Amino acid sequence: DGGITQSPKYLFRKEGQNVTLSCEQNLNHDAMYWYRQDPGQGLRLIYYSQIVNDFQKGDIAEGYSVSREKKESFPLTVTSAQKNPTAFYLCASSLSSGGMYEQYFGPGTRLTVT
Amino acid sequence: DAKTTQPNSMESNEEEPVHLPCNHSTISGTDYIHWYRQLPSQGPEYVIHGLTSNVNNRMASLAIAEDRKSSTLILHRATLRDAAVYYCILRDWTSGTYKYIFGTGTRLKVLA
């Protein structure tokens, strides 16, 4: 089955620790995205990548970092510099970054930092 | 940035049609209009998208105003499984690439 996997589904960390969220896709998509969602809110773009070895900041990139060394993988690191890291994190991909291509989303990772 | 405006919530009876509106007065000529829906604690699911003409697929229909400043997602016969938050999204061209701008969406409640 083709799709996007995110792991783990739930993640708990202590304040001050960095944590890396996994995102893998086997759809052969060039573009990948990371979004953050807070309770009752819409999605906000953290980082996106149009192609391997390239990525750009979204609207709320501060305190986050990404890498895109392989086409199928786009991990997100939540660093200790992120002031409010507790949120629902969603990864998505699309065939290309053009507007005519729909995005496919993973099931999300719920991160809780205490 | 391109923005969309949607009602916070709507209700529909089961088996009846639902029309979910979206305003996007700042849309540019090449922006596609996308709709996604999200169930609680799940990732959003693609519903439909279009540019200028009305579009139909197995899930829904998309009606786009002639001036493209508004659109309507039509669910022909609402079921309980259609209860979700529906997002109307525009592609935003920024710094030479495309981003998707999500608003807060419309929470659809389907009554049995």
Side-chain angles (χ1 to χ4, degrees), chain B residues 4 7 9 22 35 42 48 50 54 68 70 73 82 89 91 93 98 104-105:
Chain B
T4 63
S9 62
C22 181
W35 283 83
Q42 294 187 24
I48 199 167
N54 294 344
R68 300 205 332 120
S70 65
L73 178 70
D82 291 323
I89 300 135
R91 178 194 67 180
W93 175 264
Y98 297 103
T104 52

Short mmCIF file of all heavy atoms in Angstrom, two decimals, chain B residues 4 7 9 22 35 42 48 50 54 68 70 73 82 89 91 93 98 104-105:
data_model
loop_
_atom_site.label_atom_id
_atom_site.label_comp_id
_atom_site.label_asym_id
_atom_site.label_seq_id
_atom_site.Cartn_x
_atom_site.Cartn_y
_atom_site.Cartn_z
N THR B 4 -8.46 32.51 2.97
CA THR B 4 -9.82 32.03 2.79
C THR B 4 -10.63 32.31 4.05
O THR B 4 -10.08 32.35 5.15
CB THR B 4 -9.84 30.52 2.51
OG1 THR B 4 -9.31 29.82 3.64
CG2 THR B 4 -9.01 30.17 1.29
N PRO B 7 -17.32 29.72 7.30
CA PRO B 7 -18.08 29.73 8.57
C PRO B 7 -17.46 28.74 9.55
O PRO B 7 -16.92 27.71 9.15
CB PRO B 7 -19.48 29.29 8.14
CG PRO B 7 -19.32 28.67 6.80
CD PRO B 7 -18.12 29.28 6.17
N SER B 9 -18.94 26.80 11.75
CA SER B 9 -19.63 25.51 11.86
C SER B 9 -20.92 25.52 11.03
O SER B 9 -21.47 26.58 10.74
CB SER B 9 -19.98 25.22 13.33
OG SER B 9 -20.85 26.20 13.85
N CYS B 22 -16.95 29.11 0.83
CA CYS B 22 -15.62 29.62 1.11
C CYS B 22 -15.41 30.90 0.31
O CYS B 22 -15.70 30.94 -0.90
CB CYS B 22 -14.57 28.58 0.72
SG CYS B 22 -12.87 29.10 1.03
N TRP B 35 -9.90 21.56 -1.34
CA TRP B 35 -10.68 21.24 -0.15
C TRP B 35 -10.16 19.95 0.46
O TRP B 35 -9.92 18.96 -0.24
CB TRP B 35 -12.16 21.09 -0.50
CG TRP B 35 -12.89 22.38 -0.72
CD1 TRP B 35 -12.91 23.12 -1.86
CD2 TRP B 35 -13.70 23.08 0.22
NE1 TRP B 35 -13.69 24.24 -1.69
CE2 TRP B 35 -14.20 24.23 -0.42
CE3 TRP B 35 -14.09 22.84 1.54
CZ2 TRP B 35 -15.04 25.14 0.22
CZ3 TRP B 35 -14.93 23.73 2.17
CH2 TRP B 35 -15.39 24.87 1.52
N GLN B 42 -6.84 12.81 13.33
CA GLN B 42 -6.35 12.20 12.10
C GLN B 42 -5.76 13.28 11.20
O GLN B 42 -6.01 14.47 11.37
CB GLN B 42 -7.47 11.47 11.36
CG GLN B 42 -8.01 10.26 12.09
CD GLN B 42 -9.01 9.49 11.26
OE1 GLN B 42 -8.99 9.55 10.03
NE2 GLN B 42 -9.88 8.75 11.91
N ILE B 48 -11.25 17.49 -2.97
CA ILE B 48 -11.41 17.90 -4.36
C ILE B 48 -10.61 19.18 -4.60
O ILE B 48 -10.26 19.87 -3.64
CB ILE B 48 -12.91 18.11 -4.66
CG1 ILE B 48 -13.22 18.09 -6.16
CG2 ILE B 48 -13.41 19.42 -4.03
CD1 ILE B 48 -14.71 17.97 -6.46
N GLY B 50 -9.95 22.52 -7.81
CA GLY B 50 -10.27 23.04 -9.12
C GLY B 50 -9.62 24.38 -9.36
O GLY B 50 -9.11 25.01 -8.43
N ASN B 54 -16.27 24.11 -12.67
CA ASN B 54 -16.81 23.24 -11.64
C ASN B 54 -16.24 21.83 -11.81
O ASN B 54 -15.93 21.39 -12.93
CB ASN B 54 -18.33 23.21 -11.73
CG ASN B 54 -18.94 24.56 -11.39
OD1 ASN B 54 -18.28 25.43 -10.82
ND2 ASN B 54 -20.20 24.73 -11.76
N ARG B 68 -14.20 33.83 -9.38
CA ARG B 68 -13.31 32.99 -8.58
C ARG B 68 -13.07 33.53 -7.17
O ARG B 68 -12.19 33.07 -6.48
CB ARG B 68 -11.96 32.79 -9.29
CG ARG B 68 -12.08 32.14 -10.61
CD ARG B 68 -10.88 31.39 -11.13
NE ARG B 68 -9.61 31.87 -10.66
CZ ARG B 68 -8.75 31.13 -9.97
NH1 ARG B 68 -9.03 29.88 -9.67
NH2 ARG B 68 -7.60 31.61 -9.59
N SER B 70 -15.11 33.20 -4.74
CA SER B 70 -15.75 32.29 -3.78
C SER B 70 -15.94 30.93 -4.43
O SER B 70 -15.91 30.79 -5.66
CB SER B 70 -17.09 32.84 -3.31
OG SER B 70 -18.00 32.87 -4.38
N LEU B 73 -18.25 23.86 -1.69
CA LEU B 73 -18.11 22.40 -1.71
C LEU B 73 -19.49 21.81 -1.49
O LEU B 73 -20.19 22.18 -0.54
CB LEU B 73 -17.17 21.94 -0.60
CG LEU B 73 -16.98 20.42 -0.50
CD1 LEU B 73 -16.20 19.91 -1.70
CD2 LEU B 73 -16.29 20.04 0.80
N ASP B 82 -19.49 11.87 7.14
CA ASP B 82 -19.04 13.14 6.58
C ASP B 82 -18.82 14.20 7.66
O ASP B 82 -18.36 15.30 7.35
CB ASP B 82 -20.05 13.66 5.55
CG ASP B 82 -20.08 12.81 4.30
OD1 ASP B 82 -19.00 12.34 3.87
OD2 ASP B 82 -21.19 12.63 3.75
N ILE B 89 -8.63 25.73 0.90
CA ILE B 89 -7.23 26.16 0.89
C ILE B 89 -6.86 26.70 -0.48
O ILE B 89 -7.28 26.18 -1.51
CB ILE B 89 -6.33 24.95 1.20
CG1 ILE B 89 -6.65 24.36 2.57
CG2 ILE B 89 -4.85 25.33 1.14
CD1 ILE B 89 -6.73 22.88 2.55
N ARG B 91 -3.48 27.69 -2.88
CA ARG B 91 -2.03 27.64 -3.04
C ARG B 91 -1.53 29.08 -3.03
O ARG B 91 -2.11 29.96 -3.63
CB ARG B 91 -1.71 26.99 -4.37
CG ARG B 91 -0.25 26.93 -4.67
CD ARG B 91 -0.04 26.60 -6.10
NE ARG B 91 -0.50 27.68 -6.96
CZ ARG B 91 -0.42 27.63 -8.29
NH1 ARG B 91 0.04 26.56 -8.86
NH2 ARG B 91 -0.83 28.63 -9.01
N TRP B 93 1.80 31.42 -3.81
CA TRP B 93 3.12 31.49 -4.45
C TRP B 93 3.99 32.46 -3.66
O TRP B 93 3.70 33.64 -3.60
CB TRP B 93 2.96 31.94 -5.89
CG TRP B 93 4.24 32.17 -6.62
CD1 TRP B 93 4.89 33.35 -6.80
CD2 TRP B 93 5.03 31.20 -7.28
NE1 TRP B 93 6.03 33.16 -7.54
CE2 TRP B 93 6.15 31.86 -7.84
CE3 TRP B 93 4.91 29.80 -7.46
CZ2 TRP B 93 7.13 31.19 -8.58
CZ3 TRP B 93 5.89 29.14 -8.20
CH2 TRP B 93 6.98 29.82 -8.74
N TYR B 98 5.47 27.08 -4.04
CA TYR B 98 4.07 27.07 -3.62
C TYR B 98 3.92 26.60 -2.18
O TYR B 98 4.57 25.67 -1.76
CB TYR B 98 3.26 26.13 -4.52
CG TYR B 98 3.22 26.56 -5.95
CD1 TYR B 98 3.99 25.93 -6.91
CD2 TYR B 98 2.40 27.61 -6.35
CE1 TYR B 98 3.95 26.32 -8.23
CE2 TYR B 98 2.36 28.00 -7.67
CZ TYR B 98 3.14 27.36 -8.61
OH TYR B 98 3.09 27.74 -9.91
N THR B 104 -9.04 28.01 9.53
CA THR B 104 -9.53 27.23 10.67
C THR B 104 -10.66 26.29 10.26
O THR B 104 -11.07 25.44 11.04
CB THR B 104 -10.02 28.15 11.80
OG1 THR B 104 -10.94 29.09 11.26
CG2 THR B 104 -8.85 28.88 12.43
N GLY B 105 -11.19 26.42 9.07
CA GLY B 105 -12.14 25.45 8.55
C GLY B 105 -13.55 25.58 9.08
O GLY B 105 -13.85 26.40 9.96
#
